Amino acid sequence: MTAVGIHDLAIATAHHVVGLADLAARRDVDPGKYLVGLGQESMSFPAEDEDVVTMGAAAARTLLHRTGADGVRWLLFATESGVDQSKSAAVYAHRLLGLPPSVRAVELKQACYGGTAALQTALGIVHRDPAERVLVIAADVARYALHSPGEPTQGAGAAAMLVSADPALLEVEPVSGVATADVDDFWRPNDASTAVVDGRLSVSAYLAALKSAWDDHRARGGATASEIDRFVYHQPFTRMAEKAHAALARHVGLPDGERLGSGLEYNRRLGNTYTASLYAALAALLDGDDALAGRRIGLFSYGSGSVGEFFTGVVRPGYDAVRPRDEVTRALAARVPLSVDEYERLHAARPTGSADAVTRRVTDGPYRFAGVRSRARRYENTADRPSAAAEQGGSV
Ligand code: CAA
């Protein structure tokens, strides 16, 4: 069977950053709770002219500069913080990226699981025709109410992946385990801009989905735990990955061990990026370990509501030369810090409606949300080589 998997991967962050030690001081909480108890150091926060489209397109732009778009006929955009009930974020990103009309553009949703749904769909498309490549974007803004328990687990960012035959980074193996259960642990009603969450239930639902997906994976002939060299988990906060790994180790009777590697490094600083979180964790693992060639990685994806999936991939030889290994660290370091006062003002002012408005120019990223005109969202391509299509319809 042709090897199919992730050929390249790029991560984007929002423009701003909020330090969790600062937030803890303002909320009168011991900083140890956020920094150690949740395992979070900071959270990316979007400027007013950023959203999932601008961040997702920025990640894809970095990726496509390396890979080109030859053979791409699908753009699958996963998000749970989409910008329209009908038009997909993929169509906006398609124009910003200057992709040809012969590329389909679709959005997928199932909470944080959507990125994995897009990846699995892409793998199927490439298995059908190995000449095709699929662009997958996963982007989210994790927003909880100010002063809520979820507040320190906010974040914002995007992952873009090119899925192809004979991939350069990770061959995804065909067996995976799935667990779907109707649970009210976390959701966002159509009239709400922040998530509704039962935090305790969400943690237990995550762990139940992990065990159930693992059992399905094994029942279908998937690798045993001792055949898996590293584990990467969806990270609503990085401590959750440690809890998940300990729970899985108990479930399968393995010593807990040190198999998370460097996979927590980016999400500690990004915060929760929902659909992108697992793939930011994968990027952190690949960037932080130069001895992974030929090693098997187990990946667990969880989306509240809920769907979980456990799958595996084998790292390809030469993977460490595919992407600049300091690319994400540089992007994280370039974020512009917000004081807690500025963050609270920006949180309260986040535009959610469809009334006409012009947004202030803040982000220095390649794309920006310019505002709403005639009730439609307008995006600008501020990249050095704007596509003709972007010039046509890109400004308010
Ligand atoms: N020093 C060190 N650790 C400390 C501490 C201190 N001073 N004070 C507290 N802690 C520890 C606690 O012991 C606890 O650790 P354990 O869980 O290992 O016992 C940890 O800090 C967190 O403390 P609490 O459990 O008291 O925190 P909380 O109840 O205020 O909030 C939460 C936790 C409910 C998960 C909250 O962050 C939340 O609602 N988050 C959003 C929902 C979420 O992320 N759920 C995760 C699963 S769902 C999912 O994965 C999908 C998704 O992306 C949302």
Side-chain angles (χ1 to χ4, degrees):
M1 193 190 264
T2 320
V4 170
I6 302 172
H7 184 65
D8 198 350
L9 167 66
I11 306 295
T13 169
H15 181 73
H16 288 301
V17 60
V18 181
L20 288 191
D22 296 346
L23 186 65
R26 177 62 63 88
R27 298 289 177 259
D28 206 15
V29 167
D30 183 327
K33 175 169 178 182
Y34 296 170
L35 303 180
V36 181
L38 296 174
Q40 293 302 114
E41 180 183 317
S42 60
M43 56 193 193
S44 288
F45 201 83
E48 66 189 74
D49 57 351
E50 290 183 301
D51 62 15
V52 292
V53 171
T54 64
M55 292 187 297
R61 177 173 184 267
T62 302
L63 177 89
L64 295 176
H65 271 184
R66 288 199 287 268
T67 62
D70 288 353
V72 173
R73 289 181 58 76
W74 286 90
L75 193 184
L76 300 175
F77 198 123
T79 183
E80 64 177 285
S81 36
V83 296
D84 192 273
Q85 294 283 29
S86 169
K87 183 169 174 175
S88 73
V91 169
Y92 293 113
H94 177 281
R95 177 175 65 75
L96 291 173
L97 293 165
L99 294 172
S102 56
V103 177
R104 304 168 184 90
V106 181
E107 184 172 310
L108 291 88
K109 178 175 70 181
Q110 175 27 56
C112 310
Y113 172 72
T116 302
L119 171 63
Q120 290 292 358
T121 304
L123 293 167
I125 291 165
V126 178
H127 272 297
R128 187 183 66 178
D129 178 0
E132 282 202 24
R133 301 197 293 173
V134 179
L135 175 58
V136 170
I137 297 177
D140 269 300
V141 177
R143 256 172 73 80
Y144 296 92
L146 296 178
H147 303 274
S148 69
E151 185 185 21
T153 69
Q154 295 176 113
M161 297 180 263
L162 192 68
V163 175
S164 75
D166 194 19
L169 279 185
L170 187 76
E171 174 184 355
V172 179
E173 296 183 294
V175 175
S176 77
V178 175
T180 296
D182 188 353
V183 187
D184 288 336
D185 61 332
F186 168 109
W187 67 102
R188 185 166 64 84
N190 283 342
D191 58 354
S193 71
T194 53
V196 183
V197 58
D198 179 337
R200 301 269 156 230
L201 177 62
S202 73
V203 170
S204 61
Y206 177 121
L207 297 176
L210 169 60
K211 289 177 202 162
S212 177
W214 171 265
D215 290 345
D216 188 44
H217 158 83
R218 286 291 299 128
R220 298 169 71 85
T224 63
S226 54
E227 290 168 335
I228 299 175
D229 301 294
R230 297 281 186 281
F231 289 81
V232 186
Y233 295 89
H234 168 59
Q235 293 167 15
F237 46 92
T238 62
R239 182 87 184 95
M240 187 71 224
E242 293 169 338
K243 281 177 190 283
H245 192 57
L248 185 64
R250 280 193 302 275
H251 185 59
V252 302
L254 260 189
D256 200 339
E258 265 301 301
R259 291 202 253 167
L260 296 176
S262 54
L264 311 183
E265 296 307 317
Y266 296 159
N267 287 330
R268 256 187 90 74
R269 300 173 66 192
L270 270 172
N272 195 353
T273 53
Y274 291 161
T275 52
S277 161
L278 178 64
Y279 301 99
L282 175 63
L285 181 71
L286 296 173
D287 290 347
D289 191 335
D290 55 12
L292 288 177
R295 301 294 183 101
R296 180 176 281 115
I297 300 180
L299 301 99
F300 178 65
S301 179
Y302 177 72
S304 291
S306 67
V307 180
E309 179 161 347
F310 189 93
F311 61 106
T312 56
V314 177
V315 179
R316 303 283 275 183
Y319 76 96
D320 48 345
V322 172
R323 353 188 343 269
R325 297 174 77 182
D326 62 348
E327 186 171 87
V328 182
T329 310
R330 278 190 284 112
L332 289 169
R335 291 175 298 178
V336 176
L338 290 174
S339 69
V340 177
D341 283 336
E342 289 165 330
Y343 146 71
E344 288 186 345
R345 268 197 300 277
L346 206 50
H347 193 288
R350 184 102 196 126
T352 50
S354 61
D356 283 12
V358 176
T359 51
R360 214 159 47 93
R361 182 177 294 275
V362 181
T363 178
D364 50 12
Y367 309 112
R368 60 182 298 273
F369 168 51
V372 176
R373 190 184 63 213
S374 306
R375 304 198 69 197
R377 293 175 83 84
R378 306 290 160 177
Y379 290 93
E380 276 179 6
N381 188 339
T382 59
D384 46 1
R385 285 181 297 150
S387 69
E391 303 250 74
Q392 235 173 45
S395 58
V396 173

